[in-house]
Every structure is written in C-alpha cells, then in structure tokens.
C-alpha cells in the first residue's frame, strides 16, 4: 500500500486517492487543424513506461484536488509530488 | 509426438510413469526463422500452433523471457465465456469458445474445459435491464444466453444470499451455460506441445531487448541470447506491450495495471457454477481441487511489479462474503497479481503496425484467457497473410484514429 504525500494535505493513505494516469499531456493548441492520427496520439497514446512515470493523482476522499507525481512503476517509489503548474522534477537517473 | 491416451497411460503406469518423453524440446535458437513470436503465454503459443497447422508455416520461434505461461496465462482465474455485447466482440469471443470446445481433442491434451455456466447477477432494476438487453443482443448473434428470474437463481445457487434484506439484494441474473472454466497451465502446455510437434522452436529464458529494422521494415529481434532474424515478428506480451512497442519507436493506447486474484483453502464442493457481479465487482468459482477462486479489480495506478494493494483484495473479499455468507470463515491461501494491458475501450488490438512485418496482439487486459485459441487463430492468419481476418479487422490500431472504438467497458458486464 502506498503512502502518498498530497501537496495540500500531507501524507495520506493510498485509499484516499485515485490515479489519473499519465501527466503533463498538453491538449494540442491547434486541435482543429491537426490530423485524426495526431489527435488520436493526444487522446489515446500513452508512454506507459517500465520505470519512472510522471502521473496525475486526485485526492478524491480528501481535498479533492488534482496534483502530479513522479513514481516508479516497478519499485512504486514516489520521488516527488507537486501542484499543477509547478515545473516537473527531473528524472532521478539524470535522463530527461 | 507420443500421443496421450488411455493406453499410453496404462503402459506408462507399468514403468511407474518414469519414462514419459519430454512434452516439448528446448532447442538452441537458430540464426533465422520465417516468423518470430515474442511472448510464450497462451496467446503466443496458440499463434505459433495455428501458423503451423492452418498456414503451413512451421519455421517459427516462440521467444519467452521467463517460463511458459508464467505471465497472465498462469495467473488468471480462467473464466471462459463469449457473452459480449457488441457484434465485433461477440463474434471474436464466440470463435474462441468454439475452438475451446474442441481443443482437448485437437491438441491431444486435456485442458479440463468445464462448461459449468457463467452467471451474471443483477442487483438493481437498471442491472436487470442491461442484462436483458445483452441477452437479446447475444441471441441475435446466435450465442446461448438467457435471463434467470430470482427464483431460478435461488434454485441454481442455494448458498447465494437472495434475501430482500441482503446488503446487495439479487433481482435476477443472466447465464451463459456454455461458459465455464479451464485449466490455465494445460492450455499453455497443450499448445506448446502441439506446436513443438509441428516443428515450432520454443525458446524459454530468452528476453527480447530490441526490434531490428531496416528502413520501415522489421528484420529480426535482439535478445539476451543474441540477434535472431525474421522477416515477420509478432508481439504477444500482454502487460509489456508498450515496452516492446517502444523498442520499435511506436506508442500504443495501453496502460499496464496490476490485477489481483486469490484462492482459499480447499473445501468440499459447494459452488458448481461461476458467479459474477459487476455492481459489487466480485466473481468466484470453485476449482476441481476445491479452492474458491476469486478475482479482484485492477489497481488504478500503472505498474509492472506483479503485485497490488491489499485494499483492492479486501474490497472483493468483503463483497464475496456479503453475497455468500457461508464463506465468511473460509481461510485464504494465496494471492497474487498479473500485469494487464488495458485499452481505453477494453477491447484488444490485433493488428499490423506502421512497421512492415511487425504485428501486435495486445490490450486483452483483464479478460483474454477466454480468447486464447481465437486470438492465436486470427493472429496467425494476420501474420501469414499480412492482412486481418474479417473477425479481427475491427480490432486494428487504426480504430483509435477513426473513432470506431469497440467500447466493452460498461457493456461486457464484468471485466473478466
Ligand atoms: C489475476 C488475473 C485474473 C484474470 N482472470 C481472467 C479470467 O477469469 N478470464 C479471462 O478470460 N481472462 C482473465 N485474465 C486475463 C488473461 O490472463 C490474459 O488476458 C491472458 O492470459 C493474456 O495471455 P497472453 O498470452 O497474451 O499473456 P501472458 O500469459 O502474460 O504472456 C505474455 C508473455 O510475454 C513474455 N514477455 C514479456 N516481455 C517479453 C520480452 N521482452 N521478451 C520475451 N518475452 C516477453 C512474458 O514473460 C509472458 O510470459 C486475468 C488476468 C489476471 C492477471
Ligand atoms: Zn489533499
């Protein structure tokens, strides 16, 4: 079970949260002009890495606010949680 | 291949079962094949078998990073059914169920198919209407399915709490009598043995680490046991689909999640059918050994770790105990997780890719065991002919750009 640090409420049990999947997906600014394939990439395609993952969480049974996290998908270690709009932290192993 | 029969069983009994031949070889990889299948789960082994049997392509290697069936094939709760709402899914899963019905004979391997019926419970008026709608849709597709009244449910499953005071009152159910369970390892082993007999090389402990390409064409794979060449490569790696896709510069609409299951200590026969409830997210059956086999839902976060959180299991066990108060004191023996490949529409991808000669079969998520023979059958066709069979044409990657999704999330009742 995960102990998750809500950037507003502090450390709370996993059952209070819901994972919202991959984070930092920007909606295409020119959505009307891009091809269906490009729009599908935005809407459906996911990196789904085996390793560090930037993702969104919602503190559904707490403050109900969204935030971002950097978590490892094999060890489940949560390296950082941060508020929307804040810059994403670098990947721990030095890659980008 | 030495055929298994009552006579070979008797003959081998005389030598205390010490002289059975190996069920399949463990050859060294050759430098090149006509087709490479990545992933030695049920789907990959079935693909290799049907490539040899239906299309005469037997110069095939199945590369498995661990041991045969050690992925979701050996971790699932083995519910088999074809009662999917949408036409595309109904046809595909029904093809698979029909192959299952003849599979023990075809493979000369007892896969212990037990068509004991799969019951889906309704707990509200809305559930009941949804179930009836699905039953009618199924019958239009020629698939056996009926609605059961509360009385019929009570008679069929006496240990189910059908009282009006139950926490999850039962209003009725639907049933597919041809549904049931099978022995998961036997499905993997049966396909492995039959594929091997037709000349397929099954290579375990061989992890694919790269996909070799020349221009836009696949030329082989890099593995922990060296490079192996082939003009066609089919990837059937379930939860690791995105990892393999990334090796070829592709991305997929898939996220990998842990899915957990658990079994109890063995008890005397008490439940002779499969019972599922999507409203409370629990399903249960009793194995031939007497264990109660239960499946939970997925954890909401991505993971490749083959373990999930306890609250997810606790939720399912709580629901099972409400439905079956008699199980309240049964002790649980083991729990585990597999990594399932979830697609946004809860339907699989069986498809060519933008890389010529590279094919993907993935996205079966929480419910692909029932599809094992059918999936291998259509995937073999797709690889052999470089075009989809009409049964899997709707399941191409392109549906995510065209918008023709096959949305089984709500429609398929329970996700297994
Ligand atoms: C707990 C649980 C319960 C389930 N219950 C049901 C159910 O009741 N009914 C149902 O129909 N379905 C169920 N499923 C889903 C079902 O198990 C799967 O959809 C199905 O077994 C997938 O088969 P597969 O052969 O594609 O995958 P797998 O059996 O997972 O095989 C994929 C193989 O690929 C290998 N691999 C991965 N990466 C590489 C690499 N780089 N190189 C070489 N090999 C690699 C893996 O080691 C693995 O053996 C359940 C799943 C789980 C986890
Ligand atoms: Zn909070």
């Amino acid at each position: 079970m995960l102990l998750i640090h809500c950037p507003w409420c502090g450390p709370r049990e996993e059952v209070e949260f819901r994972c919202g999947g991959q984070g930092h997906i920007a909606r295409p600014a020119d959505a009307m002009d891009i091809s269906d394939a490009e729009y599908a990439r935005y809407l459906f395609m996911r990196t789904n890495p085996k390793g560090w993952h930037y993702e969104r969480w919602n503190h559904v049974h707490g403050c109900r606010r969204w935030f971002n996290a950097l978590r490892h998908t094999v060890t489940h270690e949560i390296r950082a949680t941060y508020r929307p709009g804040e810059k994403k932290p670098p990947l721990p192993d030095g890659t980008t | 291949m030495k055929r298994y029969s009552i006579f070979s069983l008797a003959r081998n009994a005389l030598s205390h079962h010490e002289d059975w031949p190996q069920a399949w070889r463990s050859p060294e990889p050759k430098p090149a094949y006509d087709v490479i299948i990545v992933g030695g789960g049920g789907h990959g082994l079935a693909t290799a078998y049907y490539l040899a049997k239906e299309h005469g392509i037997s110069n095939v290697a199945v590369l498995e990073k661990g041991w045969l069936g050690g992925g979701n094939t050996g971790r699932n709760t083995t519910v088999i059914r074809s009662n999917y709402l949408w036409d595309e899914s109904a046809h595909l899963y029904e093809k698979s169920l029909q192959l299952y019905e003849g599979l023990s004979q075809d493979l000369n391997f007892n896969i212990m198919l037990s068509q004991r019926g799969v019951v889906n419970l309704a707990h509200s008026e809305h559930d009941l209407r949804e179930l009836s709608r699905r039953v009618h849709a199924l019958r239009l597709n020629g698939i056996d399915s009926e609605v059961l009244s509360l009385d019929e449910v009570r008679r069929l499953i006496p240990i189910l709490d059908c009282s009006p005071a139950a926490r999850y009152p039962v209003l009725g159910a639907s049933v597919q009598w041809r549904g049931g369970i099978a022995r998961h390892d036997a499905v993997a082993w049966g396909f492995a043995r039959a594929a091997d007999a037709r000349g397929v090389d099954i290579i375990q402990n061989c992890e694919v680490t790269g996909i070799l390409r020349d221009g836009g064409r696949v030329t082989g794979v890099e593995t922990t046991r060296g490079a192996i060449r082939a003009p066609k490569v089919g990837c059937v790696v379930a939860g690791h689909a995105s990892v393999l896709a990334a090796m070829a510069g592709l991305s997929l609409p898939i996220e990998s999640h842990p899915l957990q299951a658990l079994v109890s200590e063995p008890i005397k026969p008490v439940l002779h059918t499969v019972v599922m409830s999507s409203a409370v997210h629990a399903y249960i059956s009793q194995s031939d050994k007497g264990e109660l086999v239960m499946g939970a839902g997925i954890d909401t976060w991505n993971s490749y770790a083959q373990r999930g959180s306890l609250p997810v299991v606790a939720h399912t066990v709580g629901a099972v105990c409400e439905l079956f108060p008699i199980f309240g004191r049964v002790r649980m023996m083991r729990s585990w997780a597999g990594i399932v490949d979830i697609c946004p529409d809860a339907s699989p991808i069986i498809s060519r890719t933008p890389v010529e000669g590279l094919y993907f079969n993935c996205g079966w998520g929480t419910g692909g065991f029932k599809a094992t023979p059918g999936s291998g059958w259509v995937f073999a066709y797709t690889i052999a002919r470089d075009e989809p069979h009409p049964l899997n044409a709707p399941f191409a990657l392109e549906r995510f750009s065209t918008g023709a999704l096959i949305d089984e999330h709500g429609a398929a009742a329970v996700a297994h």
Side-chain angles (χ1 to χ4, degrees):
Chain A
M1 177 131 120
L2 308 174
L3 183 65
I4 301 173
H5 194 104
C6 171
W8 284 281
C9 312
R12 297 294 180 90
E13 280 182 38
E14 173 190 342
V15 288
E16 294 185 15
F17 298 86
R18 206 177 159 80
C19 186
Q22 186 180 330
H24 300 289
I25 300 175
R27 190 174 197 280
D30 49 355
M32 296 306 281
D33 306 322
I34 61 176
S35 70
D36 289 350
E38 282 170 304
Y39 199 73
R41 207 168 303 145
Y42 151 70
L43 203 55
F44 294 121
M45 301 303 158
R46 296 294 177 259
T47 55
N48 193 25
K50 186 174 185 173
W52 291 105
H53 189 221
Y54 292 102
E55 57 194 18
R56 299 183 312 152
W57 285 81
N58 189 342
H59 193 182
V60 267
H61 302 296
C63 64
R64 306 182 75 184
R65 278 187 277 194
W66 285 93
F67 60 94
N68 291 311
L70 177 59
R71 191 181 58 90
H72 198 280
T73 59
V74 180
T75 64
H76 299 163
E77 177 192 342
I78 299 173
R79 187 52 73 95
T81 55
Y82 50 102
R83 297 177 183 191
E86 287 179 9
K87 238 179 89 136
K88 63 177 179 186
L91 288 175
D93 38 26
T95 48
T96 49
Chain B
M1 183 174 88
K2 273 253 166 57
R3 283 189 68 78
Y4 295 157
S5 69
I6 182 76
F7 303 109
S8 67
L9 193 63
R11 221 175 12 256
N12 279 279
L14 295 175
S15 54
H16 306 283
H17 297 293
E18 283 169 359
D19 298 333
W20 285 104
Q22 274 194 324
W24 55 83
R25 301 161 297 133
S26 293
E28 282 302 309
K30 291 192 273 183
Y33 290 90
D34 292 340
V35 177
I36 289 173
I37 302 297
V38 187
H43 289 224
L45 293 164
T47 306
Y49 172 69
Y50 290 116
L51 273 172
K53 184 187 174 205
E54 304 281 341
H55 306 280
I57 304 173
S58 55
N59 185 23
V60 175
V62 177
L63 308 182
E64 165 56 49
K65 72 172 173 166
W67 66 93
L68 290 191
N72 293 346
T73 299
R75 293 165 186 271
N76 82 92
T77 47
T78 78
V79 177
I80 293 173
R81 59 190 177 89
S82 64
N83 55 356
Y84 281 69
L85 176 70
W86 301 115
D87 293 348
E88 296 86 347
S89 329
H91 296 149
L92 181 61
Y93 288 99
E94 176 59 19
K95 168 74 187 173
S96 191
L97 180 52
Q98 287 176 10
L99 287 171
Y100 258 123
E101 287 174 326
L103 201 59
S104 289
Q105 286 73 19
D106 188 29
L107 300 179
N108 180 233
F109 201 106
N110 186 3
I111 60 150
M112 298 169 75
L113 177 68
S114 164
Q115 293 178 288
R116 55 182 65 185
V118 172
V119 175
N120 286 102
L121 301 179
H123 297 290
S124 65
E125 282 297 335
H126 176 78
D127 279 0
L128 210 50
R129 260 179 241 138
E130 278 300 318
L131 285 185
S132 332
R133 175 195 181 204
R134 189 150 59 99
V135 164
H136 290 307
L138 285 162
R139 293 169 82 137
L140 287 174
N141 274 321
I143 296 173
D144 72 305
S145 194
E146 50 185 276
V147 175
L148 297 180
S149 70
L150 176 56
D151 259 353
E152 289 169 317
V153 177
R154 204 181 270 133
R155 245 175 292 136
L156 182 66
I157 315 164
I159 59 171
L160 182 68
D161 186 358
C162 290
S163 64
R167 176 159 181 199
Y168 307 120
V170 177
L171 271 64
S174 71
V175 61
Q176 181 178 24
W177 295 114
R178 285 166 61 244
I181 56 175
R183 172 117 167 83
H184 48 15
D185 294 327
V187 172
W189 298 336
F191 273 121
R193 174 165 164 273
D196 175 89
R198 289 179 183 265
V200 171
D201 280 2
I202 296 167
I203 300 160
Q204 302 181 65
N205 297 311
C206 180
E207 179 170 357
V208 170
T209 52
I211 293 180
L212 303 172
R213 282 159 296 153
D214 186 8
R217 228 188 168 296
V218 82
T219 58
V221 294
E222 195 60 63
T223 79
T224 46
R225 292 170 72 170
I228 309 175
R229 305 272 159 185
K232 291 182 174 183
V233 174
C235 296
V236 208
V237 293
H240 279 76
S242 305
V243 177
L244 264 289
M247 290 177 194
L250 304 172
S251 49
L252 295 172
I254 281 182
E255 297 206 298
S256 300
H257 293 268
L259 179 68
Q260 303 184 73
L262 63 165
V263 293
S264 73
E265 58 188 343
I267 56 175
K268 291 201 170 162
V270 62
L271 185 63
H272 69 297
T273 184
V274 182
V275 181
M276 317 185 90
S277 163
S278 48
V280 301
H281 209 117
Y283 65 96
I284 184 164
S285 66
Q286 186 171 22
S287 76
D288 293 337
K289 280 187 284 182
E291 303 152 330
L292 299 174
V293 182
M294 297 170 215
I298 58 169
D299 283 80
T300 63
W301 30 269
N302 295 25
S303 174
Y304 285 86
Q306 297 197 135
R307 62 177 185 271
S309 278
L310 192 59
V312 176
V313 172
H315 174 88
T316 290
V317 170
V320 165
C321 289
E322 291 291 344
L323 294 173
F324 299 96
I326 191 178
F327 294 153
R329 300 239 232 143
V330 173
R331 272 172 300 214
M332 292 299 130
M333 209 162 55
R334 282 175 286 126
S335 76
W336 64 89
I339 298 304
V340 295
D341 37 344
I342 303 285
C343 243
D345 57 356
S347 285
I349 297 165
I350 315 162
S351 184
R352 300 164 46 172
T353 67
V355 179
E356 228 183 297
L358 181 65
Y359 308 85
F360 266 83
N361 183 349
C362 57
W364 292 97
T366 60
F369 177 71
K370 66 177 73 65
T372 304
S375 158
W377 195 88
V378 294
F379 199 41
Y381 184 105
T382 307
I383 294 173
R385 311 239 186 152
D386 194 35
E387 66 180 15
H389 186 273
L391 279 174
N392 68 310
F395 295 89
L397 253 178
E398 286 79 32
R399 74 176 187 269
F400 296 95
S401 317
T402 62
L405 302 189
I406 304 161
D407 189 3
E408 289 287 353
H409 255 310
V414 153
H416 303 278

